[in-house]
Amino acid sequence: MQKALLSAAALAAFFLPAAAVAQTPDDSGARVLFETRLRGELVDQQGFAEQAHALTLRARLGWRSPTVRDFQLLVEGEGVAVLDDRYSAPVDPVPGRPPVPDGETVELNRAQVRWTGLADTEVVVGRQRLIVGNSRFVGNVGWRQNEQTFDAVRVSSTALKPVTTTWIYADRVQRPLGHEHPQGVWRGDIHLLQLEVDTPLGRLAGFGLDIDLDNAAAMSSTTLGLRLAGSRAVGEGVSATWSGEYAVQSDTGANPADYRLDFVAASAGLQSAKWSVAAGYERFDGDGAAGFQTPLGTGHGYLGWSDVITTTPAFGVSDAFLRGSLSRPAFGRTVKLAAEAHVFHDADGEFRLGREIDLSASAPIDARWSVEVKAARFESDHAAYPDADKTWLILEYRY
């Protein structure tokens, strides 16, 4: 009965006309928040007798108040309905079928108060979306249907010009697995301080992240890192791009491991308004007992789209990649094509873990609707990782 009610509610939200959603005047400062995403996912993975067929529908509905005396309120709910359940969901495994980490849930996604009473400063308190930098270390895991949000205090300021300062404290993480999963909610103490400044070589960011989790001690760590990203025009309409990252991580809190490990990443490329190409390398170290981890980050899109490698193994992982994109007119729309190729090794480069090819095509239907087709193929060279083929078809609406 619960599944039927949830599916009916999500379908009703999916086809809700924009006119019915927009209930506040444009000049009021308030805004109704509504978006929905219908996604079909097909997984053919080594080690499973059958394929996974997942059809899920996510809907978010909320409201952002006008700003009154420098205060603004935002409340948003999120629901995920399962329309085809021939797959192993986080809390509902199906024997013989591969996992897809999108399960049925209804949650309070965001409930926050924003205050801007200090010059050049913003304070946000409550359950909120956090995307720090490129989201590698702290992000919302937006690829999954159930978004990751944080019960947190965030202070961002440009008062110390030219430095941008961000400080975050969080004590609860609503993870994409859903609140009914044993690891769906993490509790503990999370501190982050990041400083950013523009330099002649690009945007330089330095951060410190301390994670001390009560119910996931193995993910407790302290990480210090730097990231530089920039671009420069090299011709008419063409720019060179580059980025580099370095971080060092050690155990903290109740983590039973004892380690100190490094992470490095670098990429370089060219881009224009219609195309881009880049090559790069990333390495997450491992010492044979533990690996460098990013438990609060958005992993999808870094070590391939297949998400076969989701956590760093004890022997570490390195990724040499090439990626590109191209925007072309078609059917009266602009279609964006993207492709990536990855070759994975252990951190020391002594043996190969696998290789991957990723392809996607996306296009707007109109100002609010969009469609995307996406595929990933992972070919394994190591017993720890299975061969996997994944395909997605996505229809999205944003009000």
Side-chain angles (χ1 to χ4, degrees):
M1 177 63 71
Q2 181 182 3
K3 179 182 288 189
L5 290 173
L6 179 61
S7 298
L11 283 168
F14 187 73
F15 293 107
L16 189 65
V21 176
Q23 299 175 354
T24 56
D26 292 339
D27 60 355
S28 69
R31 180 183 177 186
V32 169
L33 308 172
F34 177 67
E35 61 181 82
T36 187
R37 180 167 69 188
L38 178 68
R39 179 160 70 198
E41 182 167 344
L42 175 65
V43 181
D44 187 355
Q45 186 168 312
Q46 182 183 9
F48 293 91
E50 299 181 87
Q51 296 178 332
H53 297 261
L55 181 62
T56 56
L57 176 62
R58 183 201 64 208
R60 294 180 187 147
L61 180 62
W63 181 69
R64 188 183 66 196
S65 77
T67 300
V68 179
R69 297 183 183 273
D70 302 318
F71 286 94
Q72 185 180 62
L73 173 68
L74 187 152
V75 179
E76 179 184 67
E78 179 179 70
V80 180
V82 176
L83 308 179
D84 188 343
D85 60 0
R86 291 177 292 166
Y87 69 99
S88 289
V91 296
D92 189 18
V94 177
R97 293 190 184 273
V100 175
D102 290 326
E104 184 179 88
T105 188
V106 175
E107 297 184 2
L108 177 64
N109 194 48
R110 291 188 287 172
Q112 66 184 52
V113 176
R114 175 176 174 264
W115 181 66
T116 54
L118 291 177
D120 304 316
T121 300
E122 177 186 75
V123 180
V124 180
V125 180
R127 182 164 298 175
Q128 58 188 283
R129 175 184 296 140
L130 294 178
I131 301 175
V132 179
N134 60 2
S135 81
R136 186 190 295 274
F137 291 94
V138 176
N140 68 326
V141 196
W143 169 245
R144 299 270 48 109
Q145 294 285 60
N146 182 21
E147 181 180 35
Q148 177 167 279
T149 55
F150 299 77
D151 292 358
V153 179
R154 175 172 58 88
V155 181
S156 302
S157 179
T158 58
L160 301 176
K161 293 181 175 61
V163 178
T164 298
T165 304
T166 301
W167 173 80
I168 294 170
Y169 170 75
D171 64 2
R172 184 183 176 103
V173 186
Q174 300 287 127
R175 304 183 68 223
L177 295 173
H179 58 87
E180 294 182 358
H181 191 278
Q183 289 291 299
V185 178
W186 279 348
R187 300 174 181 86
D189 295 300
I190 300 165
H191 299 267
L192 180 137
L193 177 63
Q194 176 166 284
L195 305 177
E196 299 174 85
V197 65
D198 287 322
T199 75
L201 294 177
R203 186 76 167 176
L204 177 65
F207 72 91
L209 173 63
D210 185 77
I211 305 170
D212 188 1
L213 298 173
D214 298 334
N215 58 334
M219 293 292 105
S220 296
S221 63
T222 298
T223 305
L224 301 175
L226 290 171
R227 183 173 191 267
L228 177 69
S231 65
R232 181 167 297 173
V234 293
E236 185 175 352
V238 178
S239 297
T241 62
W242 59 86
S243 67
E245 291 183 74
Y246 171 76
V248 58
Q249 184 177 95
S250 59
D251 62 284
T252 194
N255 193 327
D258 182 9
Y259 68 89
R260 183 180 175 88
L261 299 169
D262 294 334
F263 161 77
V264 293
S267 68
L270 295 170
Q271 71 175 19
S272 73
K274 296 183 178 180
W275 57 266
S276 68
V277 62
Y281 174 82
E282 298 180 354
R283 190 186 77 237
F284 296 83
D285 280 348
D287 62 6
F292 189 110
Q293 306 294 345
T294 58
L296 303 181
T298 298
H300 184 82
Y302 286 111
L303 295 176
W305 299 348
S306 72
D307 292 328
V308 170
I309 304 176
T310 55
T311 59
T312 306
F315 46 71
V317 60
S318 64
D319 174 21
F321 62 84
L322 178 67
R323 59 172 55 111
S325 67
L326 176 66
S327 295
R328 298 285 295 175
F331 310 108
R333 305 287 187 271
T334 298
V335 177
K336 182 177 181 180
L337 307 174
E340 298 189 2
H342 299 260
V343 178
F344 303 104
H345 288 81
D346 68 302
D348 295 329
E350 295 179 354
F351 52 88
R352 193 157 74 175
L353 305 180
R355 53 197 182 276
E356 179 167 327
I357 295 292
D358 302 321
L359 301 170
S360 77
S362 60
I365 299 173
D366 58 23
R368 303 193 185 280
W369 291 91
S370 63
V371 64
E372 181 177 11
V373 180
K374 189 171 178 177
R377 179 177 179 82
F378 181 91
E379 296 183 357
S380 175
D381 292 303
H382 192 276
Y385 300 105
D387 291 338
D389 293 296
K390 299 187 179 184
T391 306
W392 302 270
L393 178 60
I394 303 161
L395 180 65
E396 192 164 7
Y397 174 86
R398 291 179 180 271
Y399 171 69

